[in-house]
Amino acid sequence: MEQNMSMVASHSTGKIATDKIFGANQLALEAIQKFGRENVTNATIGAILDDNEALVVLPTVEKVLRSLPAAELAAYAPIAGLADYHEAAIELTFLDNKPEAYIKAIATPGGSGAIRNTIWTYSEVGDTILTTDWFWGPYRTMCEENLRKLATFDFFNASEGFNVQGLEIKAKEVLSKQQSLVVLLNTPAHNPTGFSLSNTEWAKTIELFKELATDKSKKLILFVDVAYLDYAGEKHAVRSFMRQFSGLPENILVIIGFSASKGFTIYGQRTGAMIAVTSSKAVAEEFSNTNTLACRGTWSNCTRAGQRLLSNICRDQELHAQVDAERELWRGKIEARAAAFMAEASAVGLKTVPYKAGFFISIPTADPDAVVGKLNEKRLFAVALAKGVRLAICSIPDQKVAGMAAKIADALK
Ligand code: PLP
């Protein structure tokens, strides 16, 4: 083939999937081969690993999954998902903090599918979507694959809180040029920083959306990515912000991106949902209609087994309590690993991005690639992002947490 021969359409020209996370993990795996597992710290994996660095699968989840009849494993699910699963996803998302609104769910392949459908269904081709300047890379990929642009605002204000003002400025700028605005907000336990908006910060954010919505010609879509909800803290407290989605103006649509990947440790089962919260019956019906078609037009339907698994767990109080208890042990474990890291960071004067909870801690630096290069020499592997270095504290065995912060502080010198 000629060297510059290309068969792809203009929108796909020159695109290459360079996934920094998988790339960094590859380097770690090579180092493990060379130096042995005990001499390498791999902080690139966004999944819970035990102290022997094996993937954690909650035992009750495994038991219920393995007990499903063959037909539940093999059959199609309806395009929008099983009705029982809709109920389960809604229940698991809100628990006792359900807002007063019309609420509808559509099954999606993980939280990723919910993000994709939201971008596709609620923005025009060429529109700008907004998110925070620290963000999960696939947000940009999904915007660009769907012929949209991604713009960002500074996540934090001077007092290390949520920068509502930055969002306001950027939102007004974007809305001066387009009719709809989709904002992607990953909270609580944000990837890659571990930050969570407080209820007061949520109140200010909702207030801003209400102010923007006074222009009735505008459509405001707030996508709340709760992929790490189950690791953010006490289960009722971390969901309490959701009550603030009651009684919103009709031109504000909240979509919650539910994911069972982390909460149920079934990353590869591709089980998620998009959940609409709206005060308009028509918007709720339109949500179900348009997004069912969006599913049909992309991946068709989602894995039935994951949906059946979650609905079986959710409708059985005992099973549900068991899964919650098993997950709590691991949430505690991550909390302890993070606390040990943060204590050492503070002792060696290493500054992190404000961390509250969850799988990741980030270190701000002007030259992430150089810092990661130096860390790799010390056999510590992490992901270089645009604004810093991401550590997956969820995957570091207790015995390897000690010394990490000191190595990073040293690499930053
Ligand atoms: N959102 C964020 C911020 C994530 O980090 C992830 C997974 O890594 C997801 C959503 C969705 O994951 P999945 O599609 O596996 O449910």
Side-chain angles (χ1 to χ4, degrees), residues 160-209:
E160 301 205 321
F162 181 57
N163 180 19
V164 190
Q165 236 179 353
L167 170 59
E168 177 177 357
I169 293 166
K170 207 72 194 177
K172 286 183 174 165
E173 184 190 312
V174 173
L175 280 169
S176 70
K177 299 182 195 131
Q178 61 191 53
Q179 286 310 102
S180 311
L181 174 66
V182 174
V183 177
L184 307 174
L185 214 49
N186 174 209
T187 181
H190 173 263
N191 175 6
T193 66
F195 186 76
S196 304
L197 267 71
S198 68
N199 282 359
T200 314
E201 288 166 334
W202 260 117
K204 287 185 188 158
T205 305
I206 302 286
E207 207 173 298
L208 166 64
F209 268 73

Side-chain angles (χ1 to χ4, degrees), residues 342-357:
M342 294 304 262
E344 186 181 302
S346 132
V348 298
L350 174 68
K351 193 176 153 27
T352 72
V353 180
Y355 173 86
K356 311 262 181 195

Side-chain angles (χ1 to χ4, degrees), residues 21 46 108-115 135-136 138-139 142 186 189-192 223 225-228 257-262 266-268 270-272 360 390:
I21 301 174
T108 56
S112 301
I115 302 164
F135 64 94
W136 187 46
Y139 283 2
M142 284 192 250
N186 174 209
H190 173 263
N191 175 6
F223 182 86
D225 181 345
V226 299
Y228 299 91
F258 167 80
S259 167
S261 303
K262 284 89 185 171
I266 50 165
Y267 313 84
R270 312 309 303 135
T271 304
F360 306 104
R390 187 191 82 166

Side-chain angles (χ1 to χ4, degrees), residues 164-335:
V164 190
Q165 236 179 353
L167 170 59
E168 177 177 357
I169 293 166
K170 207 72 194 177
K172 286 183 174 165
E173 184 190 312
V174 173
L175 280 169
S176 70
K177 299 182 195 131
Q178 61 191 53
Q179 286 310 102
S180 311
L181 174 66
V182 174
V183 177
L184 307 174
L185 214 49
N186 174 209
T187 181
H190 173 263
N191 175 6
T193 66
F195 186 76
S196 304
L197 267 71
S198 68
N199 282 359
T200 314
E201 288 166 334
W202 260 117
K204 287 185 188 158
T205 305
I206 302 286
E207 207 173 298
L208 166 64
F209 268 73
K210 283 184 178 164
E211 184 206 320
L212 298 172
T214 53
D215 179 348
K216 294 295 169 202
S217 72
K218 301 295 184 187
K219 301 172 190 181
L220 302 160
I221 295 89
L222 174 56
F223 182 86
V224 191
D225 181 345
V226 299
Y228 299 91
L229 181 65
D230 286 325
Y231 299 93
E234 193 281 323
K235 65 181 179 183
H236 300 289
V238 296
R239 287 164 168 85
S240 55
F241 74 90
M242 296 177 182
R243 278 187 192 268
Q244 298 190 41
F245 301 148
S246 301
L248 294 175
E250 292 196 334
N251 55 336
I252 298 178
L253 168 63
V254 174
I255 301 174
I256 301 186
F258 167 80
S259 167
S261 303
K262 284 89 185 171
F264 288 79
T265 62
I266 50 165
Y267 313 84
Q269 283 289 324
R270 312 309 303 135
T271 304
M274 57 196 303
I275 298 175
V277 182
T278 167
S279 55
S280 159
K281 191 167 184 227
V283 168
E285 275 166 18
E286 178 189 61
F287 169 87
S288 296
N289 291 333
T290 52
N291 288 297
T292 302
L293 197 71
C295 295
R296 173 79 270 188
T298 46
W299 48 74
S300 181
N301 57 102
C302 304
T303 316
R304 187 185 183 96
Q307 297 179 47
R308 185 57 76 208
L309 168 76
L310 258 68
S311 24
N312 284 0
I313 291 173
C314 209
R315 77 155 75 98
D316 182 324
Q317 277 192 7
E318 207 173 305
L319 280 180
H320 196 166
Q322 236 168 283
V323 171
D324 280 355
E326 289 165 5
R327 188 196 299 111
E328 264 314 277
L329 290 178
W330 289 102
R331 185 174 73 79
K333 185 81 163 169
I334 297 170
E335 211 171 70

